[in-house]
Amino acid sequence: MTKNSHNDFVIKNGTLIGDFENLYQSFDDPWSQSKFSDELDAQRALIFNSCRRIRKEFHLNRVVELGCGFGIFADFLRRDGFAAVGIDIADSAINRARDEHPETIFIQGDIGDFERIEQFDPEIYVMMEIKWYVLDQIHSFIDKLKLKAAAQEKPIFLIHLLSTYAPGEQQYGKEMFTNLDEILCHFSLNYTEYAELTFNYSDADPAIGTYFTAKIE
């Protein structure tokens, strides 16, 4: 059967497919990342500015982008002076990231590979549009961040973005959350800022982007 949409590889009919390796092999730019190599959209601008504020106030400079894809945003951070690392589960994505951004560090893995991530001792963790794919791992991951922050006696920051859907459209994960308020309750962290953004770039229903920065200590 021919797969025509990137959703065929990701989430379809309320079921997580999670075939990211074949997704990246089948589509040249499945997440339209290349549009934001030099100019940021509103969501990425929020992350970037939050990273800069954290660096200025807390003198934290080591950032890991979880689910980095082709590494465009991780490389954007590196060019601004951050010690940036990108991690993605798909070999195809990481290989392309390394080819296109050889000065930035990229590793293959997912958030369950905590020890591999910790080789770089990140201080800021960026999760951009990956929460739906790691629902079964996220609480364990945050628990490890809390233990790390307590042991080192300095804060860790988690920056999180996730699109939600119009009422009645969401099929996957709706028992956990469907909007920003439910996401904030689900994580129950110390939020330094949070916001909701509406995007209406097509004739489809507007996408709702949720955002928060949390201080873990």
Side-chain angles (χ1 to χ4, degrees), residues 97-147:
R98 288 169 176 164
D99 287 342
E100 296 186 356
H101 313 291
E103 296 182 64
T104 302
I105 297 172
F106 297 100
I107 58 175
Q108 189 277 330
D110 66 12
I111 67 170
D113 298 317
F114 195 77
E115 289 75 17
R116 295 195 68 197
I117 299 171
E118 288 308 295
Q119 295 177 55
F120 305 95
D121 192 22
E123 299 161 322
I124 305 169
Y125 296 75
V126 172
M127 294 181 62
M128 182 160 41
E129 299 291 0
I130 70 166
K131 175 67 184 295
W132 296 122
Y133 317 133
V134 295
L135 288 179
D136 60 340
Q137 301 180 75
I138 190 62
H139 286 295
S140 173
F141 180 76
I142 291 179
D143 285 344
K144 290 176 181 177
L145 293 184
K146 291 178 179 178
L147 289 172

Side-chain angles (χ1 to χ4, degrees), residues 55-71:
R55 178 171 61 185
K56 182 177 181 180
E57 182 174 353
F58 295 94
H59 308 290
L60 304 178
N61 195 56
R62 295 190 298 276
V63 184
V64 60
E65 182 189 3
L66 306 167
C68 67
F70 297 141

Side-chain angles (χ1 to χ4, degrees), residues 36 39 41 49 68 78 108 127 142 153-154 161 169 171 184 192 205:
F36 309 113
E39 294 184 1
D41 64 344
N49 288 329
C68 67
R78 179 198 60 79
Q108 189 277 330
M127 294 181 62
I142 291 179
E153 297 184 345
K154 69 176 181 178
L161 290 97
E169 288 192 8
Q171 298 182 58
L184 298 177
T192 59
D205 288 334

Side-chain angles (χ1 to χ4, degrees), residues 2-205:
T2 301
K3 295 182 178 181
N4 297 315
S5 167
H6 82 278
N7 289 326
D8 292 329
F9 299 89
V10 183
I11 295 176
K12 188 171 184 179
N13 298 325
T15 300
L16 177 64
I17 307 299
D19 187 4
F20 297 102
E21 186 61 47
N22 281 315
L23 171 72
Y24 283 108
Q25 293 181 16
S26 301
F27 292 87
D28 183 58
D29 191 3
W31 312 113
S32 300
Q33 287 180 292
S34 59
K35 293 191 298 184
F36 309 113
S37 59
D38 294 307
E39 294 184 1
L40 302 177
D41 64 344
Q43 289 179 298
R44 287 167 179 81
L46 276 173
I47 300 176
F48 180 61
N49 288 329
S50 185
C51 287
R52 277 186 154 187
R53 285 194 296 273
I54 293 167
R55 178 171 61 185
K56 182 177 181 180
E57 182 174 353
F58 295 94
H59 308 290
L60 304 178
N61 195 56
R62 295 190 298 276
V63 184
V64 60
E65 182 189 3
L66 306 167
C68 67
F70 297 141
I72 291 170
F73 186 69
D75 186 67
F76 193 96
L77 289 169
R78 179 198 60 79
R79 284 184 279 140
D80 194 65
F82 287 95
V85 176
I87 182 170
D88 200 281
I89 196 171
D91 279 320
S92 296
I94 289 299
N95 289 335
R96 179 166 163 181
R98 288 169 176 164
D99 287 342
E100 296 186 356
H101 313 291
E103 296 182 64
T104 302
I105 297 172
F106 297 100
I107 58 175
Q108 189 277 330
D110 66 12
I111 67 170
D113 298 317
F114 195 77
E115 289 75 17
R116 295 195 68 197
I117 299 171
E118 288 308 295
Q119 295 177 55
F120 305 95
D121 192 22
E123 299 161 322
I124 305 169
Y125 296 75
V126 172
M127 294 181 62
M128 182 160 41
E129 299 291 0
I130 70 166
K131 175 67 184 295
W132 296 122
Y133 317 133
V134 295
L135 288 179
D136 60 340
Q137 301 180 75
I138 190 62
H139 286 295
S140 173
F141 180 76
I142 291 179
D143 285 344
K144 290 176 181 177
L145 293 184
K146 291 178 179 178
L147 289 172
K148 176 185 175 181
Q152 67 185 15
E153 297 184 345
K154 69 176 181 178
I156 289 171
F157 286 85
L158 174 64
I159 304 175
H160 178 275
L161 290 97
L162 187 69
S163 294
T164 57
Y165 304 91
E169 288 192 8
Q170 181 175 331
Q171 298 182 58
Y172 181 73
K174 61 184 179 182
E175 72 281 0
M176 295 188 178
F177 47 77
T178 61
N179 55 48
L180 177 61
D181 287 342
E182 292 175 0
I183 288 172
L184 298 177
C185 290
H186 180 79
F187 279 99
S188 189
L189 296 171
N190 175 26
Y191 304 108
T192 59
E193 58 185 19
Y194 51 88
E196 190 173 80
L197 302 91
T198 301
F199 301 94
N200 193 11
Y201 296 129
S202 68
D203 293 333
D205 288 334

